[in-house]
Amino acid sequence: MSALATPSGNLAAGPGNGLGRLRFGIRVRLFLAFVAVATLSVVACALGWLSYDRLGGTLDEFAESHLPALGVAAKLAEEGGAIIATAPILAGSRTEDEMDAIRDALGRRLTTLRALTDAIEGGVPGLRPVVDSLGRNLAALDGTVRQRLALARRNQEAIERLRWLHADFLDEIDPLVADARFNIQSALASVESGKPSADAVRVLREENRRSEALLQIGANGNLAVGLVARSATLATAELLDDNAGFLDETADRLQRDLTALAGWADGVSLRQLVGQLLDLARGADGSVPALRREELETAAHGQALLAENRDIVARLNGLIARQVQAVEQDSRAAAARSAGAVAFGRSALLASALVSLLVAVLVAWLYVNRNLISRLTRLGDAARAIAAGDLKADIPLGGGDELSDMAAALLVFRDTAIAVEEANAQAIIDNAQAGLAITDAQGVIEFVNPLAAALIAPPGGRDGAGEGKDAGRLADRLDAEGAARVAAFFAQVPHAQMPAGAGGPAPTLSILATGRRPDGGAVPVQVGVRPFWRRQRQRFIVTLTDMTERLEAQHVLERTVQERTTDLRATNDRLERAIAEHQRTERDLREAQAELVQAGKLAALGQLAAGVGHELNQPLAAIRSYAHNGRKLIGLGRVEEAEGNLGKIADLTARMANITNHLKRFARRPDSRLGAVELAPVIQGALSLFGNRLREEAVAVELALPDADPACGTPLRVRAEEVRLEQVLVNLLSNALDAVAGAPVRRILIRAGIVEGGEDGEEGGAVRIEVRDSGSGIAADPVAQIFDPFFTTKPVGTGLGLGLSISYNIVRDFGGVLSVAESGPDGTAFVLTLTRA
């Protein structure tokens, strides 16, 4: 079937139709349906616009007339509430600055309130008088607070005056009491002496009376001061009255006691102070109780003004509430009108939506589903079946629209695919460079190409190329073992009805078997079997590869590998013998090095023998002298002095023991194990071996050692072995002493420190030990050879050149580095870098 469409897609030629005949295709039908739905949508939009227009008019009315009134009412209520909240703070102000700040805030609130009143004056009658009353109330409250603060300030001044007056009172009465007691004691002494006189008795009585009066005045004065101070902080008038009663009684007792001192010249100042105290207690003007009473009355007046303030604001809120109620009534009416407009719009939109939905359902069900979708479904099923390999699938034809044209095209495609598949399959199999065969699900051969026929010829020499099912089974053309494995594979593979891959990997078989050539000769064959699908039916493709050359190559490779393995085993035996010989040589070298190190230490001890002998001769001479003197002292009976000499002899003996123990420890063979070695004792031990030489040659030694490791506070330690480390330092010190022997300035510097952050290319966490001399230095050429064995810059007969070489190897065994830091006319510096422990 062929078709020809016009540019508009509505004119087509088909069976039984003349060219140019008008037809309604899918495009025209869907276009008319969409036009109908769009028309209904426009109608729905028009109805919605009308309802929203009515709603918008109502909302505009509400926004222009009611919202401003509600906003002003809310602001009035806010300002009134702020005034109610701020007025008590003004009444409770403690300072004038605080009062001024609160008064300014209230003034701004009142100004805002008056401005809002002017804005809403026409809508709320009687609002202006209430606001004016509120202003007068706040002004009166401000005056009351000012008066209360002034009274509080005067009261505080009176209390301060009371403190100073109390201090003067105590300063005045204490000496008077002391004088009275002294006079009483004098009079009592005169009476007790047995010679009483009339004057003494009179003085005793007079002083006793004055002493009692002074004590009463002191007690009542202190009580009066406490009562006056208490009256300044009482919270109610009743408590103030009770305190005033006690204060009056105390003042009366003070005045009564003062009469006992009348005419006494020494009591004039006391009487004046008590008078001032009585003025503060109950004076007519400026007494502390009177000031406190007036302050309480002012505070009570302020509380009354606050209550009046709350009443005024309540009246203001009542006026605002009435205004809000009126606005709410208008708002409810506007909301009712808005609800009517919304209900009309909702009904109109619902009706138009139902009509649109009905039209859409009719179009979808009557045309799209029953005419288009069902035909498209059948056409899609046919296309999927063809794509899956079912080239016999039924293709629905019929109708006079675009779908019928697609069905005709699909039919042509299916027929073409069948012809192409058959031609391609035959060409691929015939021209393949490997043996190929096709079997059914039971392993029966359906086709073999020429290469496969040459590898699995049928029994009797028949040519099976191109034969059909009478060619027999694949298993019949292989040896017994291969036939059993092929038969087992076909028996285990399930006979699926869908293409493999949907539920997992496809089963495969790959074996090495023996086939048969057409002449009857056996041939090794690699057999591979894999399922595939063709036109909804499961088939198996068999690949056959001649393995004759590959097996021969494998045999040659195995022989070659066996020969190479024999050669490698012999070579390995020779290497093991060479390694064992090398290990023996290394042990011999290590033993020789240890002997050399020990010889170097003994040589150093030999060089130090003279100095050590001098170190021992001095205490021996002193011991001989102390022993001789002790014997004579014992003979003279001076045992205590002899015991002193014996103690000195014991100290010198201990000193000699330390020297010999150090020499024995230095001379013994070192331990091969490394550990944490404290640095300072090792340096001191090395220096002790050169004590006599340093003194005789007048060489100054400067030590710069850290007191402790800054990281942990313990003494600085390095990873080494103590005896070998001391030998390295002895060698370096010996070379330094030789270098400064003829120098004008003889100085040796030993400095140690922790290397931080990789100084001079060294890693962090190491310890750097520097031995620097003030000699003439080493020439540039010998510096490069300074650590070579038997290399020396000393004259013949003064050294073997082994000290630095031995030291270098010892430090290397420690995991450290020994190097020449610098050398020149000012001296040479050797640097020893060890791991920090």
Side-chain angles (χ1 to χ4, degrees):
M1 180 185 295
S2 61
L4 177 62
T6 63
S8 64
N10 294 328
L11 294 176
N17 295 333
L19 183 61
R21 179 182 174 183
L22 181 63
R23 70 173 181 177
F24 287 97
I26 297 175
R27 182 183 304 174
V28 175
R29 296 170 189 172
L30 291 178
F31 176 75
L32 293 176
F34 288 144
V35 167
V37 174
T39 302
L40 293 174
S41 298
V42 171
V43 172
C45 290
L47 293 174
W49 181 83
L50 290 174
S51 62
Y52 284 124
D53 184 64
R54 293 177 57 190
L55 179 62
T58 304
L59 293 177
D60 290 340
E61 178 185 355
F62 181 79
E64 292 175 358
S65 60
H66 304 315
L67 284 181
L70 287 175
V72 173
K75 291 182 180 178
L76 282 172
E78 180 184 358
E79 296 297 333
I83 289 174
I84 288 179
T86 311
I89 301 176
L90 176 64
S93 300
R94 297 298 181 184
T95 63
E96 292 185 357
D97 292 339
E98 182 182 356
M99 184 192 70
D100 292 339
I102 299 172
R103 184 192 60 193
D104 293 341
L106 283 173
R108 290 192 295 271
R109 296 283 185 184
L110 189 59
T111 301
T112 304
L113 194 61
R114 285 171 176 164
L116 294 173
T117 302
D118 295 338
I120 203 173
E121 183 69 29
V124 184
L127 187 61
R128 169 60 71 177
V130 175
V131 175
D132 292 340
S133 298
L134 185 60
R136 289 192 296 273
N137 174 268
L138 291 176
L141 182 62
D142 179 69
T144 302
V145 173
R146 286 187 180 277
Q147 183 180 0
R148 179 178 61 79
L149 291 177
L151 290 173
R153 186 169 57 253
R154 290 179 59 192
N155 200 348
Q156 185 65 30
E157 292 174 354
I159 292 298
E160 189 67 23
R161 180 184 171 195
L162 177 66
R163 292 195 187 96
W164 288 107
L165 186 62
H166 186 219
D168 294 340
F169 174 77
L170 294 177
D171 292 341
E172 186 66 28
I173 197 170
D174 289 343
L176 294 177
V177 172
D179 292 342
R181 289 176 178 173
F182 178 76
N183 293 332
I184 291 172
Q185 293 293 333
S186 299
L188 286 174
S190 176
V191 171
E192 291 174 354
S193 64
K195 299 177 180 180
S197 61
D199 293 336
V201 173
R202 181 181 57 78
V203 169
L204 180 60
R205 291 176 178 173
E206 182 68 21
E207 292 298 331
N208 186 44
R209 182 179 60 81
R210 288 176 183 173
S211 175
E212 291 179 356
L214 287 173
L215 291 174
Q216 290 293 330
I217 290 171
N220 290 324
N222 289 328
L223 179 59
V225 169
L227 292 173
V228 171
R230 182 171 179 268
S231 64
T233 59
L234 292 176
T236 64
E238 290 78 5
L239 295 175
L240 197 60
D241 292 338
D242 294 341
N243 190 76
F246 293 127
L247 189 58
D248 290 339
E249 292 178 3
T250 304
D252 292 340
R253 288 196 297 270
L254 277 173
Q255 288 181 345
R256 187 173 59 252
D257 293 334
L258 283 175
T259 59
L261 301 179
W264 186 35
D266 294 339
V268 174
S269 298
L270 181 61
R271 288 197 295 275
Q272 293 176 354
L273 291 174
V274 173
Q276 295 176 10
L277 178 61
L278 293 176
D279 289 339
L280 290 176
R282 57 183 183 178
D285 185 18
S287 67
V288 173
L291 290 174
R292 181 57 181 172
R293 189 180 302 277
E294 188 175 359
E295 184 180 355
L296 291 175
E297 292 173 354
T298 303
H301 180 61
Q303 293 299 320
L305 290 175
L306 284 176
E308 181 184 356
N309 179 274
R310 288 191 290 270
D311 293 338
I312 294 172
V313 175
R315 293 202 305 274
L316 177 65
N317 290 334
L319 294 174
I320 295 171
R322 286 195 292 274
Q323 175 66 14
V324 171
Q325 289 176 357
V327 174
E328 286 180 353
Q329 292 176 358
D330 296 338
S331 301
R332 290 193 189 97
R337 293 193 298 273
S338 301
V342 170
F344 170 76
R346 185 183 298 115
S347 301
L349 289 175
L350 180 60
S352 61
L354 290 175
V355 174
S356 299
L357 180 61
L358 179 59
V359 172
V361 169
L362 291 175
V363 171
W365 176 255
L366 297 178
Y367 177 65
V368 175
N369 182 60
R370 296 183 61 182
N371 193 302
L372 296 181
I373 300 301
S374 61
R375 292 171 62 196
L376 282 173
T377 301
R378 293 196 302 273
L379 190 60
D381 293 340
R384 282 192 292 273
I386 293 172
D390 186 7
L391 299 181
K392 300 297 183 180
D394 182 33
I395 298 176
L397 300 173
D401 53 15
E402 290 86 344
L403 290 180
S404 61
D405 298 339
M406 292 175 59
L410 184 60
L411 181 60
V412 174
F413 172 77
R414 184 193 66 177
D415 296 339
T416 305
I418 292 174
V420 171
E421 181 193 44
E422 294 176 351
N424 288 340
Q426 187 65 39
I428 291 172
I429 293 175
D430 290 341
N431 295 316
Q433 297 299 317
L436 296 177
I438 296 176
T439 71
D440 61 6
Q442 286 73 34
V444 178
I445 297 175
E446 294 181 349
F447 183 84
V448 291
N449 70 350
L451 290 179
L455 297 176
I456 52 171
R462 294 184 295 105
D463 186 3
E467 293 181 358
K469 292 186 177 180
D470 59 346
R473 296 177 178 273
L474 175 63
D476 298 337
R477 302 194 180 188
L478 301 174
D479 61 322
E481 183 180 356
R485 296 182 64 180
V486 169
F489 172 76
F490 280 107
Q492 293 175 0
V493 174
H495 302 290
Q497 300 299 324
M498 293 297 293
T508 59
L509 176 67
S510 180
I511 62 172
L512 181 63
T514 302
R516 184 181 298 106
R517 295 188 185 277
D519 58 3
V523 58
V525 179
Q526 182 74 31
V527 181
V529 184
R530 183 179 183 87
F532 73 98
W533 290 82
R534 186 176 67 181
R535 302 180 188 176
Q536 297 294 331
R537 297 179 64 187
Q538 189 180 41
R539 293 291 183 268
F540 290 86
I541 186 168
V542 182
T543 59
L544 302 165
T545 305
D546 188 354
M547 300 296 292
T548 303
E549 295 182 358
R550 187 175 300 180
L551 290 176
E552 291 178 356
Q554 183 177 355
H555 294 325
V556 173
L557 180 61
E558 290 176 353
R559 288 195 300 272
T560 304
V561 169
Q562 185 176 5
E563 294 174 357
R564 295 292 177 87
T565 303
T566 303
D567 294 340
L568 287 175
R569 187 176 293 110
T571 304
N572 188 40
D573 294 339
R574 290 195 300 272
L575 286 176
E576 289 179 354
R577 290 193 296 272
I579 290 172
E581 184 66 25
H582 177 72
Q583 290 176 347
R584 286 194 300 273
T585 305
E586 185 178 0
R587 285 195 299 271
D588 295 340
L589 288 175
R590 288 187 178 275
E591 292 176 359
Q593 182 181 4
E595 294 294 337
L596 190 60
V597 170
Q598 187 68 15
K601 288 196 299 181
L602 295 177
L605 286 177
Q607 294 178 357
L608 297 172
V612 172
H614 182 75
E615 290 290 334
L616 294 176
N617 283 333
Q618 285 184 341
L620 284 173
I623 289 172
R624 185 170 57 252
S625 175
Y626 284 131
H628 176 75
N629 293 335
R631 185 172 58 188
K632 289 190 174 294
L633 290 172
I634 291 174
L636 295 175
R638 297 159 61 181
V639 179
E640 293 181 357
E641 296 181 12
E643 289 180 353
N645 285 355
L646 292 176
K648 294 178 180 178
I649 290 172
D651 293 339
L652 291 172
T653 305
R655 176 183 168 188
M656 294 172 62
N658 288 335
I659 295 173
T660 56
N661 287 335
H662 188 193
L663 290 175
K664 286 191 296 181
R665 184 177 59 83
F666 183 73
R668 66 180 170 84
R669 289 185 175 273
D671 193 351
S672 60
R673 294 172 296 180
L674 302 182
V677 177
E678 190 174 341
L679 186 60
V682 175
I683 295 176
Q684 294 292 348
L687 285 171
S688 66
L689 297 176
F690 294 97
N692 183 57
R693 185 176 175 184
L694 290 171
R695 288 190 298 271
E696 289 180 354
E697 298 181 7
V699 178
V701 177
E702 180 181 352
L703 287 177
L705 305 178
D707 296 334
D709 192 333
C712 55
T714 58
L716 186 60
R717 293 182 173 89
V718 296
R719 186 175 181 274
E721 195 275 323
E722 184 176 0
V723 175
R724 287 188 284 168
L725 179 58
E726 184 175 352
Q727 180 181 355
V728 172
L729 293 172
V730 166
N731 288 336
L732 294 178
L733 287 172
S734 176
N735 290 339
L737 286 171
D738 293 339
V740 301
V745 178
R746 301 177 182 179
R747 184 177 67 253
I748 296 175
L749 169 64
I750 302 175
R751 178 166 49 197
I754 298 173
V755 178
E756 298 292 347
E759 179 181 319
D760 297 332
E762 299 162 353
E763 297 183 356
V767 177
R768 188 175 187 270
I769 307 166
E770 180 182 352
V771 179
R772 181 183 294 272
D773 60 63
S774 60
S776 58
I778 305 172
D781 293 338
V783 168
Q785 308 173 20
I786 195 71
F787 297 111
D788 292 343
F790 303 106
F791 179 83
T792 179
T793 58
K794 299 177 182 179
V796 177
T798 59
L800 298 176
L802 293 175
L804 288 178
S805 177
I806 293 173
S807 300
Y808 182 84
N809 290 322
I810 290 174
V811 174
R812 185 181 61 185
D813 292 341
F814 292 164
V817 178
L818 176 61
S819 61
V820 180
E822 60 179 278
S823 182
D826 295 331
T828 302
F830 284 87
V831 174
L832 173 62
T833 304
L834 297 174
T835 304
R836 182 178 173 188

